[in-house]
Amino acid sequence: MLCLTVAFCHLLLTAPIAPSEVESTVNATVGATNSSTAYGDILRPENTNSTNQNPVDKGAPASRETEQSEQWFDVWQRSFTDTMDFTVKRLDGLFESETNVYSTDSKQAKAEGRIQLAWEPRRGMLTDTDVRFRVRVRLPALKERVDLLLSDNEDESQDSTIRAARDTGNNDRDRTTIALRFRPEQDSHYSLRVGAGRRDQLYAMARYRDAHAFSKHWAMLYDAELYYYTRDRLGAEVGIAVQYEISTNHIARQNNRFYFRDDTNDWLWRHEVHHLYSVDEHNAIIPHFMVEGLSQPNYRVEEVYTGVRWRSNTLRDWLFFEVEPFVLWLRNEDFKASCGVALRVEAYYGKDT
């Protein structure tokens, strides 16, 4: 699995990538600058549909490349996307039958994903770097019920966290994961995954996700997971997020998440607050505060994090730049304030067919 991961990372790093629209329960773009990939699922209450399954993880707004002169990196990005799609279509073709051949208006197999390169220097740690990626392969020949997923982190809700905060001694979720995801129906709230992750352990996971709009401005997203790892044994997660849409350009979000770990018989908990402000069509500012801790040996705080992120895609729709000044307090550093700044480049590939 390690060799596969290294090869995949090398492949991704050798070409730029473009935006994708992943499965959603709620339409979640604030203005045209998207922050859902970095800050979880931003809900639009008026568009919430409880019949859909997964939360939003959109990549970018409608393309602007037709308004710009095409550059070499546009050709490079398009070629990489076409190559990935061709490979996935060959894989999907293995599952085709005479009664399951594509019609002219049917969906085609495709790959979509993102990669993020970051430098996150802070006090005493000036060389901190991070590479994050997420790949999803859609297989229409299996009636859109099976996806292949590859990610640097099994915890999708941690996409917005800097590496230093994810790599604390009590947080063991930051591990490369490859899995097959099964759904009873294409729009089902339930899903089942089998794969390998977290130090090359085999695992199985069952998940339920849904969203509900209370009013035009209030919405809620909730989910629950139950999983079993070959060495870490049984685990469970419960999450609930409440969102208030202040105005078209302002959204406030409060997240709560609890993780049960059978190997240590304790709970890891996390509370977060976000405020997303869409400055204009291509720029957004997101203040963020997070506190995380454990239930054993007592209910105590392990880390505190706060930062303000500026996110922009003024150059291309599929290319995002981020600057995030932050302050981090860790128990294993005696809660001494560690100031820093995260500089990130995030790119997407994949296209709708």
Side-chain angles (χ1 to χ4, degrees):
M1 176 181 156
L2 180 60
C3 294
L4 175 63
T5 301
V6 171
F8 232 110
C9 291
H10 177 75
L11 177 63
L12 292 174
L13 287 170
T14 55
I17 43 184
S20 63
E21 284 193 301
V22 189
E23 66 275 14
S24 63
T25 51
V26 187
N27 295 326
T29 303
V30 178
T33 301
N34 176 275
S35 299
S36 61
T37 55
Y39 277 87
D41 319 308
I42 304 299
L43 310 179
R44 282 292 190 187
E46 66 272 21
N47 295 327
T48 302
N49 186 339
S50 61
T51 62
N52 294 326
Q53 186 241 345
N54 286 322
V56 172
D57 191 14
K58 292 181 184 289
S63 177
R64 299 192 311 273
E65 270 71 12
T66 55
E67 302 173 6
Q68 302 168 328
S69 58
E70 188 172 70
Q71 303 293 331
W72 63 269
F73 46 83
D74 296 311
V75 177
W76 193 14
Q77 182 267 344
R78 187 174 63 251
S79 298
F80 180 80
T81 300
D82 291 342
T83 300
M84 291 294 293
D85 285 345
F86 175 78
T87 303
V88 172
K89 288 175 182 177
R90 295 291 297 271
L91 174 63
D92 191 55
L94 299 177
F95 301 99
E96 287 186 13
S97 64
E98 294 182 359
T99 59
N100 190 30
V101 178
Y102 293 129
S103 62
T104 56
D105 58 347
S106 63
K107 291 184 178 180
Q108 300 294 305
K110 61 178 293 189
E112 52 190 23
R114 66 179 176 87
I115 186 170
Q116 182 186 92
L117 308 178
W119 180 39
E120 301 171 345
R122 62 187 181 99
R123 184 183 62 85
M125 299 287 182
L126 298 180
T127 59
D128 274 7
T129 59
D130 197 12
V131 178
R132 314 211 62 189
F133 60 90
R134 189 174 300 278
V135 179
R136 177 191 174 212
V137 173
R138 203 166 62 188
L139 303 174
L142 297 176
K143 299 181 180 180
E144 296 283 345
R145 297 178 184 178
V146 179
D147 297 328
L148 175 63
L149 306 173
L150 177 65
S151 173
D152 69 295
N153 186 1
E154 67 192 58
D155 185 358
E156 298 173 7
S157 64
Q158 283 271 287
D159 279 352
S160 63
T161 311
I162 64 171
R163 182 182 181 88
R166 298 196 312 273
D167 286 351
T168 56
N170 54 57
N171 187 338
D172 200 25
R173 299 183 303 279
D174 185 31
R175 296 293 183 267
T176 300
T177 299
I178 183 169
L180 285 172
R181 182 179 63 184
F182 305 88
R183 290 174 291 179
E185 299 294 339
Q186 187 175 345
D187 58 351
S188 175
H189 298 291
Y190 300 92
S191 64
L192 176 66
R193 296 188 189 187
V194 292
R198 195 186 293 178
R199 307 182 310 280
D200 297 330
Q201 299 181 75
L202 299 178
Y203 78 95
M205 173 191 296
R207 170 182 290 177
Y208 177 84
R209 278 186 173 181
D210 200 2
H212 178 70
F214 298 102
S215 67
K216 182 178 180 180
H217 298 285
W218 287 95
M220 178 178 68
L221 175 72
Y222 50 94
D223 68 279
E225 299 177 6
L226 182 67
Y227 42 81
Y228 187 88
Y229 282 80
T230 51
R231 292 196 303 271
D232 291 346
R233 299 181 293 175
L234 188 67
E237 298 182 19
V238 177
I240 183 170
V242 179
Q243 177 183 292
Y244 178 67
E245 184 176 350
I246 304 170
S247 66
T248 304
N249 296 333
H250 291 267
I251 290 180
R253 178 90 176 273
Q254 202 273 325
N255 298 331
N256 305 280
R257 197 159 192 87
F258 296 86
Y259 306 81
F260 173 73
R261 308 182 302 177
D262 190 36
D263 57 338
T264 54
N265 193 30
D266 64 354
W267 287 86
L268 187 148
W269 51 269
R270 185 170 71 243
H271 305 295
E272 299 176 90
V273 177
H274 309 276
H275 180 95
L276 191 149
Y277 169 55
S278 180
V279 179
D280 56 32
E281 186 180 2
H282 307 298
N283 295 275
I285 296 175
I286 310 102
H288 175 213
F289 175 81
M290 179 187 74
V291 57
E292 185 173 273
L294 294 172
S295 63
Q296 297 292 341
N298 51 53
Y299 196 87
R300 68 184 190 184
V301 174
E302 294 291 331
E303 69 175 75
V304 179
Y305 172 86
T306 185
V308 178
R309 177 175 298 195
W310 168 69
R311 182 172 171 87
S312 176
N313 70 332
T314 54
L315 183 61
R316 287 294 188 270
D317 291 326
W318 50 269
L319 185 62
F320 289 80
F321 299 94
E322 295 182 354
V323 178
E324 181 178 3
F326 64 87
V327 183
L328 177 66
W329 296 266
L330 298 174
R331 176 174 290 276
N332 58 15
E333 296 179 1
D334 298 323
F335 288 110
K336 294 180 180 179
S338 181
C339 301
V341 59
L343 306 174
R344 304 184 183 95
V345 177
E346 186 175 48
Y348 293 79
Y349 75 85
K351 58 186 178 181
D352 292 328
T353 55

